[in-house]
Amino acid sequence: MPELPSDSVGLVAPQTAHFDVPLALACGKTLQSYDLVYETYGKLNASRSNAVLICHALSGHHHAAGYHSREDRKPGWWDAHIGPGKSIDTDRFFVISLNNLGGCHGSTGPCAINPDTGRQWGPDFPMMTVGDWVHSQARLADRLGIERFAAVIGGSLGGMQVLQWSLAYPERIANAVVIAATPKLSAQNIAFNEVARQAIRSDPDFYDGWYAEHDTLPRRGLKLARMVGHITYLSEDAMGSKFGRDLRSDDLNFGYDVEFQVESYLRYQGDTFSTSFDANTYLLMTKALDYFDPAAAHDGDLAAAVAPASCPFLVVSFSTDWRFPPSRSRELVDALIRAGKPVSYVCIDSPHGHDAFLLPETRYQAIFASFMGRVAHDSGLEDS
Amino acid sequence: MPELPSDSVGLVAPQTAHFDVPLALACGKTLQSYDLVYETYGKLNASRSNAVLICHALSGHHHAAGYHSREDRKPGWWDAHIGPGKSIDTDRFFVISLNNLGGCHGSTGPCAINPDTGRQWGPDFPMMTVGDWVHSQARLADRLGIERFAAVIGGSLGGMQVLQWSLAYPERIANAVVIAATPKLSAQNIAFNEVARQAIRSDPDFYDGWYAEHDTLPRRGLKLARMVGHITYLSEDAMGSKFGRDLRSDDLNFGYDVEFQVESYLRYQGDTFSTSFDANTYLLMTKALDYFDPAAAHDGDLAAAVAPASCPFLVVSFSTDWRFPPSRSRELVDALIRAGKPVSYVCIDSPHGHDAFLLPETRYQAIFASFMGRVAHDSGLEDS
């Protein structure tokens, strides 16, 4: 790619922040020290009032926008929404995107060295919660001199982190954008996660999480986990219009090689993921999803749980998302309304299921950009 | 169980019919000889006009009603609907229920001995289609002297067999009852089947289907396949009201042992199934599901495909079935209407998802019984 697109943040490079202050975790353990890898896009203004934090989803990471090299075939995972003139306008905002603790893209996680043992953390890496992540993100904000974010923004598991920010650090978040998320997983959501975990943990190459020391990877398990995941990310209609019952060859082969195109797609997605993502990280991320339930400490009363929040919310759902359907977003919206919090809600018509939050769509972009315009205005930022 | 329930068909015993006339299959292979295991309930009348055929679903078998011994804790899988005074009233009807070819409950399948080799068929057992099953069922009918069934009835994959009966042998089926089925799988349906197949086939204990010769079973794979299946059999709401986010212990354990009740349920269901069902059979049944698509030979025109049918249909769907939702039943109903066929359709309100077709429910039973009353009347059967 000799020319980068004009609405791209361009070439970016990850940075690493090292922390030596112990981080007490919800599971009871403590991380004595850790690294957080992050990227930034745009410029922090003099009053440090234009910072925006991006929280990533299950298999996400810090590389949300731009390119690491001119040879990159794809930009960061949320490039559709982050850049000059885009919804999260880098001409106005200073955007921070990090890899969460427990991740496998540079931040301290199962693939990192455990200083106590000198070997990889592997399955000994402590279980993380959304609360732990937000705590670590607040420390990164301290390090970067951000007292208060103009907005914290995320989709799916990222949206849960946004909600947690609004409850744990209400004075440090001016606006919250919660996209395609849910205030807690349903039994069915947990069930799908459990299938993924069982697939990984029952793979003989998993070795109780010590696969790296056995010079192998639980590829089969991670492939299955990703295949199940993909089914839940796409709507039934999107899968239907993308693949239908199309065959790979002209005729049925009456065997177990790929017959239908959808099989080919799932196998490919699973295979690719199985060598590029860490299994211990995947397990840990699914557990963080399962655990999130801010209402639990309030006898299930979500309106009571969101009482500490003080910022305006934008909540976005997508019509064909069946992983976290619009009804789950409305649960949050209704609780915020009951609690007297300012909230805007929109359900975007989209055929793309849960994945819609990652994709460009006219109405989605218009509403997102409009909200962020208000964020800029309320934060006293000059229009670019 | 010292006393059997009065509305039970009571103690029943399977029988075996052996066939020596070769059966040509859709895959191009031929079964030279085979056994079909079946049960019957009620009595065949003198005019042989009161026979009803039950077709089973993915993991079903011939034992649909009654008990094999007084020690049985559970009756057959459709005992809620078959028996004296029940929807399929054995005081009126002579009910035949068989295990399909390729099954693992006595009919010839992967666990049977291949006469050509003297070893188990295993993965060499030929791929079956719904058409092949119906062909073999017609031969069983011949053997039992049934020229024409008063009704052919089935749920899920069983419903596909009913539809196939109406197209392949329109003169031999007086009524068709198609419950919780679909005229073809969607891409998402195929995708879930493919995950199940990959889980089984990637299990190192699968040995390309020759696990029996290695004195082992692909337990891990079959367990995962069943776990995925169970999620699709239950509605999200049913799973939610059954398990919610209930924990097994008082507190989170921040580990990978069971934390939520739904995890416990799925693991238990998977474990039980993994030692009681044959993996090669499971694979073959999922492929038969994938292949079924009577409209394919008519450029996707289902109304053209159902043209040969001449019997009245009852089509039943369930409101929260998301495996084969009401919209899929309506596809069939609309095609039958376009083709000018007599069809009754009802969508039953039920919280139980796809599994609802197996369960008793007042309105479901009333409508089913009412239709079967008309079947009895039209077949000239005396009221009992």
Side-chain angles (χ1 to χ4, degrees), chain B residues 115-154:
Chain B
D116 288 347
T117 63
R119 63 201 274 227
Q120 277 193 5
W121 278 100
D124 285 347
F125 194 82
M127 206 68 94
M128 304 298 300
T129 65
V130 168
D132 295 330
W133 283 332
V134 167
H135 189 183
S136 70
Q137 291 161 4
R139 289 197 177 168
L140 179 63
D142 294 342
R143 178 71 55 89
L144 299 175
I146 317 293
E147 209 164 292
R148 188 166 187 252
F149 282 108
V152 181
I153 306 175

mmCIF file of all heavy atoms in Angstrom, chain B residues 115-154:
data_model
loop_
_atom_site.group_PDB
_atom_site.id
_atom_site.type_symbol
_atom_site.label_atom_id
_atom_site.label_comp_id
_atom_site.label_asym_id
_atom_site.label_seq_id
_atom_site.Cartn_x
_atom_site.Cartn_y
_atom_site.Cartn_z
ATOM 1 N N PRO B 115 -20.538 -57.330 6.173
ATOM 2 C CA PRO B 115 -20.366 -58.712 5.724
ATOM 3 C C PRO B 115 -19.184 -58.878 4.753
ATOM 4 O O PRO B 115 -18.600 -59.953 4.668
ATOM 5 C CB PRO B 115 -21.693 -59.050 5.042
ATOM 6 C CG PRO B 115 -22.385 -57.750 4.811
ATOM 7 C CD PRO B 115 -21.853 -56.788 5.799
ATOM 8 N N ASP B 116 -18.832 -57.795 4.080
ATOM 9 C CA ASP B 116 -17.718 -57.882 3.125
ATOM 10 C C ASP B 116 -16.364 -58.004 3.810
ATOM 11 O O ASP B 116 -15.402 -58.506 3.220
ATOM 12 C CB ASP B 116 -17.680 -56.635 2.230
ATOM 13 C CG ASP B 116 -18.820 -56.636 1.228
ATOM 14 O OD1 ASP B 116 -19.464 -57.697 1.066
ATOM 15 O OD2 ASP B 116 -19.075 -55.574 0.630
ATOM 16 N N THR B 117 -16.273 -57.508 5.037
ATOM 17 C CA THR B 117 -14.972 -57.476 5.690
ATOM 18 C C THR B 117 -14.933 -58.267 6.988
ATOM 19 O O THR B 117 -13.851 -58.608 7.475
ATOM 20 C CB THR B 117 -14.580 -56.021 6.041
ATOM 21 O OG1 THR B 117 -15.543 -55.511 6.979
ATOM 22 C CG2 THR B 117 -14.561 -55.138 4.795
ATOM 23 N N GLY B 118 -16.093 -58.540 7.554
ATOM 24 C CA GLY B 118 -16.126 -59.243 8.830
ATOM 25 C C GLY B 118 -15.783 -58.365 10.013
ATOM 26 O O GLY B 118 -15.758 -58.812 11.154
ATOM 27 N N ARG B 119 -15.506 -57.097 9.772
ATOM 28 C CA ARG B 119 -15.279 -56.149 10.865
ATOM 29 C C ARG B 119 -16.407 -55.117 10.870
ATOM 30 O O ARG B 119 -17.214 -55.053 9.939
ATOM 31 C CB ARG B 119 -13.900 -55.488 10.745
ATOM 32 C CG ARG B 119 -13.732 -54.650 9.482
ATOM 33 C CD ARG B 119 -12.258 -54.430 9.105
ATOM 34 N NE ARG B 119 -11.681 -53.282 9.786
ATOM 35 C CZ ARG B 119 -10.943 -52.333 9.167
ATOM 36 N NH1 ARG B 119 -10.676 -52.399 7.868
ATOM 37 N NH2 ARG B 119 -10.430 -51.328 9.836
ATOM 38 N N GLN B 120 -16.438 -54.305 11.918
ATOM 39 C CA GLN B 120 -17.483 -53.274 11.978
ATOM 40 C C GLN B 120 -17.418 -52.348 10.763
ATOM 41 O O GLN B 120 -16.339 -52.059 10.253
ATOM 42 C CB GLN B 120 -17.315 -52.431 13.247
ATOM 43 C CG GLN B 120 -17.929 -53.068 14.496
ATOM 44 C CD GLN B 120 -18.029 -52.068 15.642
ATOM 45 O OE1 GLN B 120 -17.743 -50.893 15.511
ATOM 46 N NE2 GLN B 120 -18.457 -52.569 16.806
ATOM 47 N N TRP B 121 -18.582 -51.892 10.341
ATOM 48 C CA TRP B 121 -18.630 -50.919 9.259
ATOM 49 C C TRP B 121 -17.824 -49.672 9.609
ATOM 50 O O TRP B 121 -17.089 -49.151 8.777
ATOM 51 C CB TRP B 121 -20.079 -50.479 9.017
ATOM 52 C CG TRP B 121 -20.920 -51.373 8.174
ATOM 53 C CD1 TRP B 121 -21.842 -52.287 8.612
ATOM 54 C CD2 TRP B 121 -20.961 -51.430 6.739
ATOM 55 N NE1 TRP B 121 -22.454 -52.895 7.542
ATOM 56 C CE2 TRP B 121 -21.932 -52.391 6.381
ATOM 57 C CE3 TRP B 121 -20.276 -50.758 5.727
ATOM 58 C CZ2 TRP B 121 -22.233 -52.689 5.055
ATOM 59 C CZ3 TRP B 121 -20.576 -51.049 4.408
ATOM 60 C CH2 TRP B 121 -21.538 -52.011 4.077
ATOM 61 N N GLY B 122 -18.003 -49.177 10.815
ATOM 62 C CA GLY B 122 -17.319 -47.938 11.210
ATOM 63 C C GLY B 122 -17.576 -46.836 10.191
ATOM 64 O O GLY B 122 -18.701 -46.661 9.707
ATOM 65 N N PRO B 123 -16.522 -46.102 9.833
ATOM 66 C CA PRO B 123 -16.703 -44.970 8.916
ATOM 67 C C PRO B 123 -16.984 -45.412 7.481
ATOM 68 O O PRO B 123 -17.312 -44.563 6.642
ATOM 69 C CB PRO B 123 -15.353 -44.244 8.987
ATOM 70 C CG PRO B 123 -14.384 -45.312 9.372
ATOM 71 C CD PRO B 123 -15.129 -46.252 10.270
ATOM 72 N N ASP B 124 -16.844 -46.714 7.200
ATOM 73 C CA ASP B 124 -17.165 -47.206 5.852
ATOM 74 C C ASP B 124 -18.664 -47.321 5.616
ATOM 75 O O ASP B 124 -19.101 -47.565 4.479
ATOM 76 C CB ASP B 124 -16.521 -48.589 5.611
ATOM 77 C CG ASP B 124 -15.024 -48.479 5.375
ATOM 78 O OD1 ASP B 124 -14.541 -47.340 5.156
ATOM 79 O OD2 ASP B 124 -14.345 -49.523 5.421
ATOM 80 N N PHE B 125 -19.444 -47.199 6.687
ATOM 81 C CA PHE B 125 -20.892 -47.288 6.475
ATOM 82 C C PHE B 125 -21.306 -46.153 5.540
ATOM 83 O O PHE B 125 -20.907 -45.011 5.730
ATOM 84 C CB PHE B 125 -21.654 -47.196 7.796
ATOM 85 C CG PHE B 125 -23.094 -47.614 7.637
ATOM 86 C CD1 PHE B 125 -23.430 -48.962 7.646
ATOM 87 C CD2 PHE B 125 -24.096 -46.673 7.427
ATOM 88 C CE1 PHE B 125 -24.752 -49.365 7.462
ATOM 89 C CE2 PHE B 125 -25.410 -47.066 7.247
ATOM 90 C CZ PHE B 125 -25.741 -48.413 7.260
ATOM 91 N N PRO B 126 -22.093 -46.463 4.536
ATOM 92 C CA PRO B 126 -22.408 -45.424 3.539
ATOM 93 C C PRO B 126 -23.226 -44.278 4.120
ATOM 94 O O PRO B 126 -23.987 -44.456 5.067
ATOM 95 C CB PRO B 126 -23.199 -46.185 2.469
ATOM 96 C CG PRO B 126 -23.620 -47.470 3.089
ATOM 97 C CD PRO B 126 -22.660 -47.776 4.183
ATOM 98 N N MET B 127 -23.040 -43.110 3.534
ATOM 99 C CA MET B 127 -23.799 -41.926 3.919
ATOM 100 C C MET B 127 -25.278 -42.143 3.583
ATOM 101 O O MET B 127 -25.600 -42.668 2.522
ATOM 102 C CB MET B 127 -23.251 -40.743 3.125
ATOM 103 C CG MET B 127 -23.453 -39.425 3.771
ATOM 104 S SD MET B 127 -22.466 -39.238 5.276
ATOM 105 C CE MET B 127 -20.996 -38.427 4.642
ATOM 106 N N MET B 128 -26.138 -41.759 4.514
ATOM 107 C CA MET B 128 -27.578 -41.943 4.312
ATOM 108 C C MET B 128 -28.246 -40.601 4.012
ATOM 109 O O MET B 128 -27.775 -39.551 4.451
ATOM 110 C CB MET B 128 -28.217 -42.518 5.580
ATOM 111 C CG MET B 128 -27.622 -43.823 6.085
ATOM 112 S SD MET B 128 -27.785 -45.196 4.925
ATOM 113 C CE MET B 128 -29.559 -45.299 4.770
ATOM 114 N N THR B 129 -29.344 -40.668 3.313
ATOM 115 C CA THR B 129 -30.171 -39.466 3.123
ATOM 116 C C THR B 129 -31.578 -39.756 3.641
ATOM 117 O O THR B 129 -31.947 -40.924 3.856
ATOM 118 C CB THR B 129 -30.275 -39.067 1.638
ATOM 119 O OG1 THR B 129 -30.967 -40.104 0.941
ATOM 120 C CG2 THR B 129 -28.898 -38.860 1.018
ATOM 121 N N VAL B 130 -32.341 -38.703 3.798
ATOM 122 C CA VAL B 130 -33.734 -38.866 4.215
ATOM 123 C C VAL B 130 -34.474 -39.747 3.206
ATOM 124 O O VAL B 130 -35.288 -40.597 3.573
ATOM 125 C CB VAL B 130 -34.403 -37.473 4.374
ATOM 126 C CG1 VAL B 130 -35.915 -37.603 4.527
ATOM 127 C CG2 VAL B 130 -33.806 -36.738 5.568
ATOM 128 N N GLY B 131 -34.152 -39.577 1.933
ATOM 129 C CA GLY B 131 -34.773 -40.409 0.894
ATOM 130 C C GLY B 131 -34.454 -41.887 1.080
ATOM 131 O O GLY B 131 -35.326 -42.756 0.914
ATOM 132 N N ASP B 132 -33.208 -42.183 1.441
ATOM 133 C CA ASP B 132 -32.824 -43.585 1.682
ATOM 134 C C ASP B 132 -33.611 -44.160 2.853
ATOM 135 O O ASP B 132 -34.056 -45.316 2.824
ATOM 136 C CB ASP B 132 -31.331 -43.680 2.008
ATOM 137 C CG ASP B 132 -30.445 -43.269 0.845
ATOM 138 O OD1 ASP B 132 -30.860 -43.453 -0.318
ATOM 139 O OD2 ASP B 132 -29.337 -42.757 1.108
ATOM 140 N N TRP B 133 -33.743 -43.366 3.889
ATOM 141 C CA TRP B 133 -34.480 -43.856 5.063
ATOM 142 C C TRP B 133 -35.925 -44.178 4.707
ATOM 143 O O TRP B 133 -36.464 -45.215 5.095
ATOM 144 C CB TRP B 133 -34.452 -42.798 6.187
ATOM 145 C CG TRP B 133 -33.150 -42.759 6.920
ATOM 146 C CD1 TRP B 133 -32.273 -43.794 7.088
ATOM 147 C CD2 TRP B 133 -32.580 -41.629 7.587
ATOM 148 N NE1 TRP B 133 -31.176 -43.371 7.817
ATOM 149 C CE2 TRP B 133 -31.341 -42.047 8.139
ATOM 150 C CE3 TRP B 133 -32.975 -40.312 7.782
ATOM 151 C CZ2 TRP B 133 -30.515 -41.195 8.865
ATOM 152 C CZ3 TRP B 133 -32.160 -39.459 8.504
ATOM 153 C CH2 TRP B 133 -30.941 -39.901 9.038
ATOM 154 N N VAL B 134 -36.548 -43.256 3.987
ATOM 155 C CA VAL B 134 -37.954 -43.449 3.631
ATOM 156 C C VAL B 134 -38.098 -44.689 2.749
ATOM 157 O O VAL B 134 -39.039 -45.480 2.905
ATOM 158 C CB VAL B 134 -38.510 -42.166 2.974
ATOM 159 C CG1 VAL B 134 -39.848 -42.411 2.301
ATOM 160 C CG2 VAL B 134 -38.634 -41.065 4.032
ATOM 161 N N HIS B 135 -37.143 -44.882 1.852
ATOM 162 C CA HIS B 135 -37.146 -46.083 1.014
ATOM 163 C C HIS B 135 -37.110 -47.342 1.890
ATOM 164 O O HIS B 135 -37.891 -48.285 1.705
ATOM 165 C CB HIS B 135 -35.932 -46.025 0.078
ATOM 166 C CG HIS B 135 -35.923 -47.090 -0.981
ATOM 167 N ND1 HIS B 135 -34.885 -47.245 -1.876
ATOM 168 C CD2 HIS B 135 -36.812 -48.075 -1.286
ATOM 169 C CE1 HIS B 135 -35.145 -48.271 -2.680
ATOM 170 N NE2 HIS B 135 -36.292 -48.785 -2.347
ATOM 171 N N SER B 136 -36.205 -47.336 2.870
ATOM 172 C CA SER B 136 -36.087 -48.509 3.750
ATOM 173 C C SER B 136 -37.336 -48.672 4.621
ATOM 174 O O SER B 136 -37.748 -49.801 4.929
ATOM 175 C CB SER B 136 -34.834 -48.406 4.626
ATOM 176 O OG SER B 136 -34.982 -47.374 5.594
ATOM 177 N N GLN B 137 -37.942 -47.560 4.996
ATOM 178 C CA GLN B 137 -39.174 -47.622 5.801
ATOM 179 C C GLN B 137 -40.327 -48.207 4.975
ATOM 180 O O GLN B 137 -41.172 -48.947 5.500
ATOM 181 C CB GLN B 137 -39.538 -46.221 6.323
ATOM 182 C CG GLN B 137 -38.559 -45.696 7.389
ATOM 183 C CD GLN B 137 -38.626 -44.179 7.579
ATOM 184 O OE1 GLN B 137 -39.461 -43.499 6.967
ATOM 185 N NE2 GLN B 137 -37.740 -43.646 8.415
ATOM 186 N N ALA B 138 -40.352 -47.881 3.683
ATOM 187 C CA ALA B 138 -41.404 -48.429 2.813
ATOM 188 C C ALA B 138 -41.269 -49.951 2.717
ATOM 189 O O ALA B 138 -42.264 -50.688 2.675
ATOM 190 C CB ALA B 138 -41.317 -47.791 1.427
ATOM 191 N N ARG B 139 -40.026 -50.413 2.711
ATOM 192 C CA ARG B 139 -39.828 -51.868 2.679
ATOM 193 C C ARG B 139 -40.281 -52.527 3.976
ATOM 194 O O ARG B 139 -40.806 -53.649 3.974
ATOM 195 C CB ARG B 139 -38.354 -52.180 2.436
ATOM 196 C CG ARG B 139 -37.929 -51.846 1.014
ATOM 197 C CD ARG B 139 -36.639 -52.542 0.725
ATOM 198 N NE ARG B 139 -36.206 -52.314 -0.640
ATOM 199 C CZ ARG B 139 -34.995 -52.630 -1.065
ATOM 200 N NH1 ARG B 139 -34.117 -53.172 -0.222
ATOM 201 N NH2 ARG B 139 -34.660 -52.420 -2.315
ATOM 202 N N LEU B 140 -40.044 -51.828 5.096
ATOM 203 C CA LEU B 140 -40.529 -52.354 6.371
ATOM 204 C C LEU B 140 -42.059 -52.422 6.355
ATOM 205 O O LEU B 140 -42.659 -53.398 6.837
ATOM 206 C CB LEU B 140 -40.037 -51.479 7.527
ATOM 207 C CG LEU B 140 -40.490 -51.893 8.935
ATOM 208 C CD1 LEU B 140 -39.951 -53.284 9.311
ATOM 209 C CD2 LEU B 140 -40.065 -50.867 9.985
ATOM 210 N N ALA B 141 -42.675 -51.402 5.764
ATOM 211 C CA ALA B 141 -44.139 -51.393 5.650
ATOM 212 C C ALA B 141 -44.594 -52.596 4.822
ATOM 213 O O ALA B 141 -45.548 -53.300 5.188
ATOM 214 C CB ALA B 141 -44.610 -50.087 5.016
ATOM 215 N N ASP B 142 -43.914 -52.850 3.712
ATOM 216 C CA ASP B 142 -44.230 -54.029 2.889
ATOM 217 C C ASP B 142 -44.173 -55.293 3.743
ATOM 218 O O ASP B 142 -45.074 -56.130 3.717
ATOM 219 C CB ASP B 142 -43.219 -54.185 1.746
ATOM 220 C CG ASP B 142 -43.302 -53.055 0.735
ATOM 221 O OD1 ASP B 142 -44.334 -52.354 0.717
ATOM 222 O OD2 ASP B 142 -42.323 -52.870 -0.019
ATOM 223 N N ARG B 143 -43.101 -55.409 4.487
ATOM 224 C CA ARG B 143 -42.890 -56.597 5.311
ATOM 225 C C ARG B 143 -44.029 -56.789 6.304
ATOM 226 O O ARG B 143 -44.447 -57.910 6.573
ATOM 227 C CB ARG B 143 -41.546 -56.458 6.056
ATOM 228 C CG ARG B 143 -41.213 -57.592 7.001
ATOM 229 C CD ARG B 143 -40.864 -58.878 6.254
ATOM 230 N NE ARG B 143 -39.797 -58.705 5.294
ATOM 231 C CZ ARG B 143 -38.497 -58.850 5.558
ATOM 232 N NH1 ARG B 143 -38.098 -59.187 6.750
ATOM 233 N NH2 ARG B 143 -37.597 -58.688 4.608
ATOM 234 N N LEU B 144 -44.522 -55.673 6.841
ATOM 235 C CA LEU B 144 -45.583 -55.759 7.844
ATOM 236 C C LEU B 144 -46.975 -55.739 7.215
ATOM 237 O O LEU B 144 -47.982 -55.726 7.925
ATOM 238 C CB LEU B 144 -45.443 -54.605 8.852
ATOM 239 C CG LEU B 144 -44.130 -54.602 9.646
ATOM 240 C CD1 LEU B 144 -44.027 -53.364 10.517
ATOM 241 C CD2 LEU B 144 -43.996 -55.867 10.496
ATOM 242 N N GLY B 145 -47.009 -55.752 5.880
ATOM 243 C CA GLY B 145 -48.285 -55.810 5.185
ATOM 244 C C GLY B 145 -49.063 -54.506 5.200
ATOM 245 O O GLY B 145 -50.292 -54.496 5.087
ATOM 246 N N ILE B 146 -48.344 -53.402 5.363
ATOM 247 C CA ILE B 146 -49.002 -52.082 5.370
ATOM 248 C C ILE B 146 -48.877 -51.479 3.976
ATOM 249 O O ILE B 146 -47.794 -51.080 3.556
ATOM 250 C CB ILE B 146 -48.337 -51.116 6.371
ATOM 251 C CG1 ILE B 146 -48.018 -51.798 7.697
ATOM 252 C CG2 ILE B 146 -49.186 -49.858 6.525
ATOM 253 C CD1 ILE B 146 -49.189 -52.208 8.500
ATOM 254 N N GLU B 147 -50.008 -51.381 3.292
ATOM 255 C CA GLU B 147 -49.951 -50.802 1.957
ATOM 256 C C GLU B 147 -49.956 -49.277 2.034
ATOM 257 O O GLU B 147 -49.303 -48.605 1.255
ATOM 258 C CB GLU B 147 -51.162 -51.280 1.162
ATOM 259 C CG GLU B 147 -50.929 -51.372 -0.332
ATOM 260 C CD GLU B 147 -52.025 -52.204 -0.965
ATOM 261 O OE1 GLU B 147 -52.076 -53.430 -0.703
ATOM 262 O OE2 GLU B 147 -52.848 -51.617 -1.673
ATOM 263 N N ARG B 148 -50.695 -48.798 3.009
ATOM 264 C CA ARG B 148 -50.877 -47.352 3.114
ATOM 265 C C ARG B 148 -50.982 -46.990 4.588
ATOM 266 O O ARG B 148 -51.746 -47.600 5.336
ATOM 267 C CB ARG B 148 -52.171 -46.958 2.397
ATOM 268 C CG ARG B 148 -52.429 -45.479 2.252
ATOM 269 C CD ARG B 148 -53.549 -45.281 1.241
ATOM 270 N NE ARG B 148 -53.754 -43.877 0.905
ATOM 271 C CZ ARG B 148 -54.811 -43.174 1.302
ATOM 272 N NH1 ARG B 148 -55.749 -43.746 2.033
ATOM 273 N NH2 ARG B 148 -54.933 -41.906 0.950
ATOM 274 N N PHE B 149 -50.186 -45.997 4.987
ATOM 275 C CA PHE B 149 -50.242 -45.542 6.379
ATOM 276 C C PHE B 149 -51.390 -44.554 6.567
ATOM 277 O O PHE B 149 -51.587 -43.654 5.732
ATOM 278 C CB PHE B 149 -48.936 -44.851 6.776
ATOM 279 C CG PHE B 149 -47.810 -45.809 7.067
ATOM 280 C CD1 PHE B 149 -46.733 -45.938 6.192
ATOM 281 C CD2 PHE B 149 -47.836 -46.593 8.210
ATOM 282 C CE1 PHE B 149 -45.691 -46.822 6.465
ATOM 283 C CE2 PHE B 149 -46.798 -47.480 8.490
ATOM 284 C CZ PHE B 149 -45.735 -47.600 7.619
ATOM 285 N N ALA B 150 -52.129 -44.728 7.657
ATOM 286 C CA ALA B 150 -53.135 -43.727 8.015
ATOM 287 C C ALA B 150 -52.456 -42.381 8.243
ATOM 288 O O ALA B 150 -52.999 -41.325 7.902
ATOM 289 C CB ALA B 150 -53.895 -44.161 9.272
ATOM 290 N N ALA B 151 -51.243 -42.447 8.795
ATOM 291 C CA ALA B 151 -50.453 -41.222 8.969
ATOM 292 C C ALA B 151 -48.981 -41.578 9.124
ATOM 293 O O ALA B 151 -48.648 -42.641 9.663
ATOM 294 C CB ALA B 151 -50.937 -40.432 10.191
ATOM 295 N N VAL B 152 -48.139 -40.702 8.637
ATOM 296 C CA VAL B 152 -46.711 -40.759 8.954
ATOM 297 C C VAL B 152 -46.414 -39.481 9.734
ATOM 298 O O VAL B 152 -46.859 -38.388 9.353
ATOM 299 C CB VAL B 152 -45.838 -40.859 7.688
ATOM 300 C CG1 VAL B 152 -44.365 -40.946 8.058
ATOM 301 C CG2 VAL B 152 -46.255 -42.071 6.860
ATOM 302 N N ILE B 153 -45.702 -39.643 10.846
ATOM 303 C CA ILE B 153 -45.579 -38.559 11.830
ATOM 304 C C ILE B 153 -44.131 -38.446 12.307
ATOM 305 O O ILE B 153 -43.495 -39.465 12.592
ATOM 306 C CB ILE B 153 -46.473 -38.854 13.068
ATOM 307 C CG1 ILE B 153 -47.917 -39.130 12.639
ATOM 308 C CG2 ILE B 153 -46.393 -37.717 14.080
ATOM 309 C CD1 ILE B 153 -48.840 -39.548 13.781
ATOM 310 N N GLY B 154 -43.646 -37.217 12.412
ATOM 311 C CA GLY B 154 -42.308 -37.053 12.966
ATOM 312 C C GLY B 154 -41.995 -35.617 13.315
ATOM 313 O O GLY B 154 -42.594 -34.682 12.772
#
